[in-house]
Amino acid sequence: AGKGVKEEKAAGQRGGSGEQAGLSQEFALYTLPVELQTAVVDAYTYLLGLPGSPITLSPQILAILRETVQIMEAEHDKLLHAFAQYHRHPHTQKPALRELRSRIIELLATAATHCAELRAPENEDIRTKIIAVFLKLLTSQEEGLVIQAIDGLKRMLKLHRLPKDLLQQSLRPTLLKLADFRKLTVPVLEGLGRLLRLLTNCFNITLGEKLLEHLVNRVDPANRVGLVRPGEDDEVVKQIFRLFHLLPAPKAAKFLDELVTIALRLACTTPGGEITQPYVDSLVEYFNVYPSETGEYFLCRLNKPQYAKLFEIVLDHKLAEPLRKWLRENPDVICSRTFQCLDGATPSASDIQHDLSHDSVNLVYQLAKRDPAWLAKPQCKKVMEHLITLWRAPSRKDGSVPLSKGLVPLELRKSKRMLKCFIFFFEGGGEDVYLMFLMLDVFAYQSAIDLRFVLEFYANVALMQSAVQKRAILSRFVTLITGDTPPKFNRDALRILILPMLQKSLESCTDNDVMLDAEIVNDLANKVLIVRSGADDARGGDDTYSVELLQLAMLLVKYIPTRLMDFRKGFIKFAWSYLKSDDMATKYNAYVVISYFIAAYDTPARIILQVYVALLRAHQIEARGLVKEALDVLLPSLHERLPPGDISWIRWTKKTMVDEGHSLPHVIHILHLIARHPRMFFDYRDLFVPQMVPSFFKISVLPSGSSENNKLLALDVVQLLEEWELYRLEREAEADPGAGDGGAGSKRKADGQQNPAEPAAKKARTDGGADPGVAGGAVPGAAGAAGHAQA
């Protein structure tokens, strides 16, 4: 307090600089240090804002409010000069003064909303001055003060009526600057925008007409020549665009055509001929206020490329949801303005009609992209019907058949977006089996479209569709394949839709009884597979189609063998008919089907051995994957399917390994087989070790065979020999727990016991059979097999 008194006395001695700045001498707040002034203002703000505050609007409070208003009304530079007269270090006052002004705005807003006495008629003067301070700050360039002023003005307008004369007086400086388009600046327009947001109803449509006039003048090239800073002028044009959505509705809707026309004129001046993003943002805000008028306006002009392109950009904007919502709610309007205009169009229609079909598809795509469930709704049935009609149109197919004729990028884009619309329909819960097969037409022709998204969709059909719907898909496929559809289409349907759906559904084992009921299984077996057994077109026709049919047969035999008991004879005949095919993929896919058949059903031993030997001799690299799958299925089932004690498959394996020992691919093929099934060959290991050990040098050292895969195979074989030895020791330990490792062999000889594996191995060496090369004499190297194994 003493310091304040001293400062006040000093102020009286120094003269009237404060009066020159417009500050009152009644309450010498400005004579205090700026930091102390800020603290005093904060204290008053806190006291006035307390619930049920005992502070009333006393003369002292009114005096502090008047002085703070005077501080806010004073020019910033003059105010800084006045404070410098009373305080040292004036260069440090600028940040502190900015903070003081911020706290004063908070004090004025608190007083206006919490002091009921301020609403009395006798206090109208101070109330009006507070509102004037807020209105003035709306055009300030200090963002923090602007935000506070907007908040304070909103709070005041809820309690106090805005005097018309005060509004006119406050707006006069801004409106005077609107008289000449050359005097427009970005800060002025930003301040006007803030006023429009707060006081929209206080303006009339005349302001919009004036802004439109300035916009036309600014865009005119003749007026742009004299501008000193063209970049700043562009910012002014963008800021004018941002004001139109703030004008009072619905009268401001009349500016729609003029704004779009000006935007298109601006687009013509850009290098790419497209409207830039800031203008799009401003237009979208305006369009969202008038979605129905905007939708009708553009739908009637889709046959004009400039309007169609702008409409596409607007619909793709992330903030254009109100406009998209109105269009989704009015699908009949879309059909009447777009698709129905194409009815009756012939392949020789004009370019305008073709463009309209493209823009119609693009419109539906933009609406469905952010709401896939929209196309699946009942009210969009007509939209889907029109899309399907366009998809089936001969002009679309003729435009995408051969690459040599030159595909039109517009047609490609239209086809791609129609496909995406169909996918949106299914993802949104739509069900249409006919459409699902109709989409496969896109694979019937060569095209430059990247169709991976379509393949991903078909791969997920099993996850999206119910069991009843999947049964309907299978039923539709049977109908198509028994009709006159071309084999190429049937092949694509199998490869892209049917096989992925069946595999995922059968692997998950969910609702398979519904999807594959007795009727569907009967139709797939008799009408799709068995009917083609031995047919000339099946063996000599499209090999890729035959592969897909064999894949279908494999899935059925693998996952539902019990339901195919009545069709076993037909299935084996169907697969056997492809074993003579010249195409390697077809032939070995048939072997895979037969292997699954043998694993599932009782089969004559002669057929089993015939298939096994053929697979042992199949070493071609191209068929390695299929041969591996067939052997991995067939080999574990040999013990169950062959008669007890029949080890002829061992003799054939040994014979093939010996006869084809000069062929490195054969050796590698059989070594892979033994390494994948070590327990199957354990009891007969002494027959194979003499050939396995020398093969290490061939597959891992010689340059002709020492590839990385072969070296890995050599390591696998070494590990296999180690596993066999450990397994032998484990079995001996179980048979004779007291025997040690070192004396196991001598103890067996002394006791006259025999290795449990010896009878089977000995039988394999000496038993006569179908293989005279093996049965006619002892196997070379068999005498030292035990030594090799222990080594």
Side-chain angles (χ1 to χ4, degrees), residues 93-130:
Q93 302 298 315
K94 185 176 290 187
L97 182 58
R98 188 180 297 111
E99 180 67 19
L100 173 62
R101 290 165 66 88
S102 174
R103 301 300 177 87
I104 288 176
I105 296 173
E106 190 174 349
L107 170 63
L108 296 177
T110 303
T113 54
H114 288 77
C115 293
E117 297 89 345
L118 200 63
R119 306 171 197 170
E122 60 269 17
N123 294 322
E124 183 178 358
D125 178 56
I126 185 64
R127 186 175 67 246
T128 302
K129 288 184 178 181
I130 293 175

Side-chain angles (χ1 to χ4, degrees), residues 701-756:
V701 179
L702 291 181
S704 60
S706 59
S707 65
E708 184 175 352
N709 291 333
N710 291 347
K711 292 178 180 178
L712 292 175
L713 174 60
L715 294 175
D716 291 340
V717 173
V718 172
Q719 184 178 3
L720 170 67
L721 296 177
E722 181 183 5
E723 290 177 357
W724 275 351
E725 181 63 15
L726 292 175
Y727 185 60
R728 181 187 68 81
L729 296 175
E730 180 183 346
R731 289 180 58 176
E732 289 181 355
E734 292 177 355
D736 189 2
D741 291 343
S746 60
K747 183 177 180 179
R748 286 200 308 272
K749 290 180 180 179
D751 296 342
Q753 295 178 353
Q754 193 177 24
N755 190 336

